[in-house]
Amino acid sequence: DNSVLREQLAFIFAEWIRVYQLPTSNDKDYGAFINSIQQQGVLKGEEISSLFFRVCTEMSVESYIKYKVTNTAAAYQGVDAFVKLIVTLVKHYSDPQGVNHSGAKVTYLTTLLSIIVLVLAQAHEQRRGQFNQKPFLRLFSGLLTEMMTSYESSPAMYFQILTAFSNTFHTLQPLVFPGFTYGWLSLISHRAFMPKLLLAENGKGWASFQKLLVCLLRFLIPFLVGGEMRDTTRELYKGTLRVLLVLLHDFPEFLCDYHFSFCDVIPHSCIQLRNLILSAFPRNMRLPDPFTPNLKVDLLTEIHQPPRVLSDYTSSLTVTLKRDVDTYLRTREQAPFLENLREILAMDPSNQDLYSGGSKYNVPMINSLVLYVGVNGIAQLHATSRTNSDAAAPASAATENGTENGTAQEDSNAVSSPQGTSSSPIAQTAPMDIFQRLLMELDSEGRYLFLSAIANQLRYPNSHTHYFSRVLLYLFFEASQETIKEQITRVLLERLIVNRPHPWGLLITFIELIKNPRYAFWDHAFTRIDPDIEKLFDSVSRSV
Amino acid sequence: LSKDVGFFAIQMLETSFQFLPEVADTERPKYYTPKNPYPTPSYYPQLPPPALFETSATFEKFDIDTLFFIFYYQQGTYQQYLAARELKKQSWRFHKKYLTWFQRHEEPKAITDDYEQGTYIYFDYEGAWCQRKKTDFRFEYKFLE
Amino acid sequence: LGRDLTTLGLSLNSAEPLHGTFASPWFEGPTSSDVEAEFHVPACYN
């Protein structure tokens, strides 16, 4: 029933395109046009202004679809004109109460963005196989560029604008609009968006961008777990790698601090993708070459510093499990949950979906449990070593090994004790009980996921890397079954034989495993189980 | 997410892949803007004469080739609209399916409510950028813009 | 085994940030706006 009104609004937009096209047009002409449509009441009242922007969006998209056959630049004239109209309107917009103009502008922009989302959603739903993402990509990228040009010099408002775009892109995520996937990844990695959001002061844009990246990785799961890659997946995976490489190169701290969130949604078959994230390290850190002969990791001061973990890594633990773990870590009294770990960590069948990675286990819960127990283990170690050093005479603060807390050295010495028990500070502790229980209770798949969760903490020199490296080596040494030693080796090896990059902590741990005679690595039958495997180990040990 | 959502995701991802973004989709062409334009003497007009290309009188003077050029290479502009109007005035008719212009070469052999059929001249904008003759062509009115 | 990530068109050893010239996940090379077309007046005109 509003076709007549639509026709009139369409004519107004066509008139705007003409004004925009004139090479002689300037801000004065644009302002005059805005005033004229204001007087016509086009912008007055939510209903008619929403209809006007909806008509503008639809006309821009249609004119692209119609003209794209002959000439891309010309085909985008409607879209580019619409971008200019939005930017001009936001610029002219002011707070009716005259109080907070920048806030009013951002709210106004958010309204316009939501109308564009509505038109995209309708086109995505109705046109399906014919849905064309390009005009919407052009529209959003044009707005990002123009907003950067106009407002980058006012950081407070500009950050609000970036947040509005971030929320819009979160709405448009591939899980909801798969037909917009390639355009969406172009937008979230756009140089007028990704770096601007990540460079916002004090990292206040990091949480928003991390959410977008998790959306992408989550969407990828069923396409990557399947194994055979279609062209669509291969292109999307390659684009993802390119974006992550820019992040690794320019914003490694961002990848470091959110590594846990990303590892939760990266299928364990995407080893190189995960290595890329785990290889990130703070730019102010200098990593000693892992291949340095007799490298004394224990002497690095960084191994006493906890890494910053911005992900909420306990969110995947149920309240009950967290409570039981806390009780056990505190009292170390036998607890029922230790008998039911396999059930507790199994994936709830009702939650099983395409995006849970196809495992029968709840991988995020395993990851959370391992890191949570480990963090408590490190805290206990520090508490213990403080108590010991308080009790002992000051002179023995540096033990005979010349290291501060001697734990690592003592640790590696300790594992060689003849009777096989160990006085290592990480042994005979509540955290280690839980880790060893996990190793015994879980089946092969569960054990693999558990060991992977530990390997995900082997990153740049920090207290987590150091602790989990020792845990893994200790579990290897203490394992009574050959298959467990084999599986620990596999979890490390499969991360090393893929193309670079390789996380520093992973290399350090594997070098220790194959070089330190304590672990008698080469005596194990599985290193010679098959000529190819033997060759593989030889080549890796040579490169190491 | 049930299985059929997976199918929908795969199907729509293919659609998205079909329109994989290219450089031209996000980068505005950089037009050359002289850093220090040479000052033209004041007796030359400093700006294009106002509205010269805004009136249909100007377009009556253009030859057919110019009109076609403006139509196909100034798309979405007001000038395209004026060029189209001039072409129509000169008995050209736009075919929405073939996206080009036709002109009767002679009286059509058949004219019905739905179409006319006969020999036409049409403009080949994709190939040799020239006019071509088409015998026994049926111009269905549903395609008449 | 993944792939050689140095073949993805990004100069990973660059001392400069990559994001300034990162045109898109889908195609390589600096953006047109970064490769400013340089126009020089031929010497004979001076």
Side-chain angles (χ1 to χ4, degrees), chain B residues 4-16:
Chain B
D4 62 358
V5 169
F7 172 71
F8 173 68
I10 290 173
Q11 185 201 35
M12 290 307 284
L13 186 62
E14 293 280 352
T15 304
S16 182

Side-chain angles (χ1 to χ4, degrees), chain A residues 255-322:
Chain A
L255 294 181
C256 294
D257 297 354
Y258 279 108
H259 85 288
F260 188 86
S261 311
F262 302 137
C263 284
D264 255 3
V265 288
I266 291 179
H268 45 77
S269 55
C270 299
I271 297 173
Q272 185 182 38
L273 179 65
R274 188 179 48 205
N275 273 354
L276 196 157
I277 286 169
L278 299 178
S279 301
F281 61 89
R283 273 168 294 190
N284 62 353
M285 190 177 272
R286 288 288 158 270
L287 302 191
D289 180 346
F291 302 107
T292 312
N294 308 318
L295 175 64
K296 283 276 170 285
V297 170
D298 316 308
L299 302 184
L300 297 175
T301 52
E302 292 87 351
I303 62 168
H304 304 291
Q305 307 303 325
R308 208 164 67 145
V309 181
L310 295 181
S311 314
D312 174 7
Y313 62 82
T314 61
S315 59
S316 297
L317 296 177
T318 58
V319 174
T320 318
L321 177 58
K322 189 166 180 297

Side-chain angles (χ1 to χ4, degrees), chain A residues 18 67 70 76-77 80 124 128-129 131-134 137-138 179 181-182 191 230 232 235 354-355, chain B residues 1 6 8 10 12-22 24-25 27-28 54 75-76 78 80 125:
Chain A
R18 201 174 66 74
Y67 291 116
T70 50
Y76 279 129
Q77 265 146 5
D80 293 346
H124 187 270
R128 295 234 168 179
F131 172 74
N132 190 329
Q133 64 201 343
K134 290 194 173 187
L137 166 61
R138 177 79 172 206
T181 299
Y182 294 87
R191 64 182 177 286
R230 300 154 167 254
T232 49
E235 188 65 26
L354 287 163
Y355 297 92
Chain B
L1 285 158
F8 173 68
I10 290 173
M12 290 307 284
L13 186 62
E14 293 280 352
T15 304
S16 182
F17 184 60
Q18 182 189 341
F19 299 110
L20 193 67
E22 291 142 346
D25 294 317
E27 305 297 335
R28 301 267 173 94
E54 304 275 294
Q75 294 200 32
Y78 190 60
Q80 181 192 28
Y125 66 90

Side-chain angles (χ1 to χ4, degrees), chain A residues 400-437:
Chain A
E400 68 284 359
N401 304 305
T403 52
E404 286 270 307
N405 61 10
T407 48
Q409 208 59 31
E410 201 178 279
D411 185 8
S412 41
N413 290 332
V415 291
S416 62
S417 54
Q419 66 276 22
T421 56
S422 161
S423 64
S424 154
I426 62 172
Q428 317 302 330
T429 58
M432 191 50 80
D433 295 346
I434 294 175
F435 291 144
Q436 286 183 303
R437 208 49 186 275

